[in-house]
PDB file of all heavy atoms in Angstrom:
ATOM      1  N   GLY B 116     -16.376 -44.244  12.938  1.00 70.00           N
ATOM      2  CA  GLY B 116     -17.688 -43.753  13.377  1.00 70.00           C
ATOM      3  C   GLY B 116     -18.011 -44.096  14.815  1.00 70.00           C
ATOM      4  O   GLY B 116     -18.948 -43.549  15.392  1.00 70.00           O
ATOM      5  N   TYR B 117     -17.214 -45.025  15.425  1.00 70.00           N
ATOM      6  CA  TYR B 117     -17.488 -45.348  16.823  1.00 70.00           C
ATOM      7  C   TYR B 117     -16.902 -44.270  17.713  1.00 70.00           C
ATOM      8  O   TYR B 117     -15.750 -43.875  17.560  1.00 70.00           O
ATOM      9  CB  TYR B 117     -16.882 -46.712  17.193  1.00 70.00           C
ATOM     10  CG  TYR B 117     -17.097 -47.069  18.642  1.00 70.00           C
ATOM     11  CD1 TYR B 117     -18.322 -47.601  19.065  1.00 70.00           C
ATOM     12  CD2 TYR B 117     -16.114 -46.817  19.595  1.00 70.00           C
ATOM     13  CE1 TYR B 117     -18.534 -47.890  20.397  1.00 70.00           C
ATOM     14  CE2 TYR B 117     -16.318 -47.102  20.928  1.00 70.00           C
ATOM     15  CZ  TYR B 117     -17.535 -47.634  21.329  1.00 70.00           C
ATOM     16  OH  TYR B 117     -17.746 -47.905  22.651  1.00 70.00           O
ATOM     17  N   SER B 118     -17.698 -43.765  18.650  1.00 74.00           N
ATOM     18  CA  SER B 118     -17.197 -42.716  19.526  1.00 74.00           C
ATOM     19  C   SER B 118     -17.898 -42.763  20.866  1.00 74.00           C
ATOM     20  O   SER B 118     -19.081 -43.072  20.957  1.00 74.00           O
ATOM     21  CB  SER B 118     -17.434 -41.342  18.895  1.00 74.00           C
ATOM     22  OG  SER B 118     -17.020 -40.328  19.793  1.00 74.00           O
ATOM     23  N   THR B 119     -17.128 -42.484  21.925  1.00 69.00           N
ATOM     24  CA  THR B 119     -17.730 -42.375  23.253  1.00 69.00           C
ATOM     25  C   THR B 119     -17.738 -40.918  23.709  1.00 69.00           C
ATOM     26  O   THR B 119     -18.012 -40.623  24.856  1.00 69.00           O
ATOM     27  CB  THR B 119     -16.933 -43.199  24.286  1.00 69.00           C
ATOM     28  OG1 THR B 119     -15.585 -42.705  24.297  1.00 69.00           O
ATOM     29  CG2 THR B 119     -16.938 -44.677  23.949  1.00 69.00           C
ATOM     30  N   ALA B 120     -17.382 -40.006  22.773  1.00 70.00           N
ATOM     31  CA  ALA B 120     -17.274 -38.596  23.147  1.00 70.00           C
ATOM     32  C   ALA B 120     -18.613 -38.053  23.625  1.00 70.00           C
ATOM     33  O   ALA B 120     -19.668 -38.414  23.107  1.00 70.00           O
ATOM     34  CB  ALA B 120     -16.781 -37.782  21.957  1.00 70.00           C
ATOM     35  N   SER B 121     -18.545 -37.177  24.628  1.00 72.00           N
ATOM     36  CA  SER B 121     -19.765 -36.595  25.172  1.00 72.00           C
ATOM     37  C   SER B 121     -20.338 -35.569  24.191  1.00 72.00           C
ATOM     38  O   SER B 121     -19.630 -35.054  23.334  1.00 72.00           O
ATOM     39  CB  SER B 121     -19.445 -35.907  26.497  1.00 72.00           C
ATOM     40  OG  SER B 121     -18.590 -34.814  26.251  1.00 72.00           O
ATOM     41  N   PRO B 122     -21.664 -35.265  24.330  1.00 70.00           N
ATOM     42  CA  PRO B 122     -22.281 -34.294  23.422  1.00 70.00           C
ATOM     43  C   PRO B 122     -21.545 -32.948  23.407  1.00 70.00           C
ATOM     44  O   PRO B 122     -21.436 -32.315  22.364  1.00 70.00           O
ATOM     45  CB  PRO B 122     -23.697 -34.133  23.987  1.00 70.00           C
ATOM     46  CG  PRO B 122     -23.961 -35.391  24.728  1.00 70.00           C
ATOM     47  CD  PRO B 122     -22.647 -35.850  25.262  1.00 70.00           C
ATOM     48  N   SER B 123     -21.002 -32.530  24.573  1.00 70.00           N
ATOM     49  CA  SER B 123     -20.350 -31.223  24.598  1.00 70.00           C
ATOM     50  C   SER B 123     -19.052 -31.234  23.784  1.00 70.00           C
ATOM     51  O   SER B 123     -18.697 -30.250  23.142  1.00 70.00           O
ATOM     52  CB  SER B 123     -20.062 -30.781  26.046  1.00 70.00           C
ATOM     53  OG  SER B 123     -19.160 -31.672  26.646  1.00 70.00           O
ATOM     54  N   VAL B 124     -18.362 -32.371  23.797  1.00 66.00           N
ATOM     55  CA  VAL B 124     -17.141 -32.496  22.983  1.00 66.00           C
ATOM     56  C   VAL B 124     -17.511 -32.490  21.501  1.00 66.00           C
ATOM     57  O   VAL B 124     -16.878 -31.840  20.677  1.00 66.00           O
ATOM     58  CB  VAL B 124     -16.366 -33.772  23.364  1.00 66.00           C
ATOM     59  CG1 VAL B 124     -15.281 -34.084  22.336  1.00 66.00           C
ATOM     60  CG2 VAL B 124     -15.738 -33.631  24.745  1.00 66.00           C
ATOM     61  N   ARG B 125     -18.599 -33.194  21.162  1.00 66.00           N
ATOM     62  CA  ARG B 125     -19.046 -33.235  19.764  1.00 66.00           C
ATOM     63  C   ARG B 125     -19.441 -31.849  19.257  1.00 66.00           C
ATOM     64  O   ARG B 125     -19.231 -31.512  18.092  1.00 66.00           O
ATOM     65  CB  ARG B 125     -20.237 -34.172  19.595  1.00 66.00           C
ATOM     66  CG  ARG B 125     -19.836 -35.631  19.657  1.00 66.00           C
ATOM     67  CD  ARG B 125     -21.088 -36.472  19.749  1.00 66.00           C
ATOM     68  NE  ARG B 125     -20.794 -37.776  20.280  1.00 66.00           N
ATOM     69  CZ  ARG B 125     -20.861 -38.890  19.548  1.00 66.00           C
ATOM     70  NH1 ARG B 125     -21.209 -38.844  18.293  1.00 66.00           N
ATOM     71  NH2 ARG B 125     -20.575 -40.041  20.097  1.00 66.00           N
ATOM     72  N   GLU B 126     -20.018 -31.058  20.158  1.00 65.00           N
ATOM     73  CA  GLU B 126     -20.416 -29.698  19.774  1.00 65.00           C
ATOM     74  C   GLU B 126     -19.230 -28.876  19.304  1.00 65.00           C
ATOM     75  O   GLU B 126     -19.354 -27.983  18.481  1.00 65.00           O
ATOM     76  CB  GLU B 126     -21.062 -28.984  20.963  1.00 65.00           C
ATOM     77  CG  GLU B 126     -22.561 -28.862  20.829  1.00 65.00           C
ATOM     78  CD  GLU B 126     -23.182 -28.309  22.099  1.00 65.00           C
ATOM     79  OE1 GLU B 126     -22.608 -27.357  22.649  1.00 65.00           O
ATOM     80  OE2 GLU B 126     -24.211 -28.856  22.529  1.00 65.00           O
ATOM     81  N   MET B 127     -18.061 -29.172  19.865  1.00 64.00           N
ATOM     82  CA  MET B 127     -16.855 -28.434  19.470  1.00 64.00           C
ATOM     83  C   MET B 127     -16.267 -28.948  18.170  1.00 64.00           C
ATOM     84  O   MET B 127     -15.213 -28.518  17.739  1.00 64.00           O
ATOM     85  CB  MET B 127     -15.810 -28.506  20.586  1.00 64.00           C
ATOM     86  CG  MET B 127     -16.163 -27.610  21.750  1.00 64.00           C
ATOM     87  SD  MET B 127     -14.853 -27.572  22.982  1.00 64.00           S
ATOM     88  CE  MET B 127     -15.306 -28.929  24.016  1.00 64.00           C
ATOM     89  N   GLY B 128     -16.935 -29.909  17.549  1.00 61.00           N
ATOM     90  CA  GLY B 128     -16.468 -30.407  16.262  1.00 61.00           C
ATOM     91  C   GLY B 128     -15.553 -31.606  16.391  1.00 61.00           C
ATOM     92  O   GLY B 128     -14.980 -32.085  15.426  1.00 61.00           O
ATOM     93  N   PHE B 129     -15.386 -32.120  17.613  1.00 63.00           N
ATOM     94  CA  PHE B 129     -14.572 -33.318  17.812  1.00 63.00           C
ATOM     95  C   PHE B 129     -15.508 -34.505  18.029  1.00 63.00           C
ATOM     96  O   PHE B 129     -16.716 -34.344  18.069  1.00 63.00           O
ATOM     97  CB  PHE B 129     -13.664 -33.140  19.037  1.00 63.00           C
ATOM     98  CG  PHE B 129     -12.719 -31.972  18.924  1.00 63.00           C
ATOM     99  CD1 PHE B 129     -13.013 -30.755  19.526  1.00 63.00           C
ATOM    100  CD2 PHE B 129     -11.525 -32.081  18.217  1.00 63.00           C
ATOM    101  CE1 PHE B 129     -12.141 -29.680  19.419  1.00 63.00           C
ATOM    102  CE2 PHE B 129     -10.654 -31.008  18.117  1.00 63.00           C
ATOM    103  CZ  PHE B 129     -10.966 -29.800  18.724  1.00 63.00           C
ATOM    104  N   GLY B 130     -14.946 -35.683  18.159  1.00 62.00           N
ATOM    105  CA  GLY B 130     -15.736 -36.847  18.552  1.00 62.00           C
ATOM    106  C   GLY B 130     -16.562 -37.454  17.454  1.00 62.00           C
ATOM    107  O   GLY B 130     -17.643 -37.987  17.696  1.00 62.00           O
ATOM    108  N   ALA B 131     -16.066 -37.394  16.209  1.00 58.00           N
ATOM    109  CA  ALA B 131     -16.815 -37.972  15.101  1.00 58.00           C
ATOM    110  C   ALA B 131     -16.525 -39.469  14.935  1.00 58.00           C
ATOM    111  O   ALA B 131     -17.018 -40.110  14.022  1.00 58.00           O
ATOM    112  CB  ALA B 131     -16.497 -37.240  13.809  1.00 58.00           C
ATOM    113  N   GLY B 132     -15.680 -40.016  15.815  1.00 59.00           N
ATOM    114  CA  GLY B 132     -15.368 -41.436  15.715  1.00 59.00           C
ATOM    115  C   GLY B 132     -14.375 -41.750  14.618  1.00 59.00           C
ATOM    116  O   GLY B 132     -14.280 -42.877  14.152  1.00 59.00           O
TER     117      GLY B 132
END
Side-chain angles (χ1 to χ4, degrees):
Chain B
Y117 178 81
S118 176
T119 59
S121 66
S123 63
V124 167
R125 285 169 201 249
E126 254 173 43
M127 285 186 271
F129 300 98

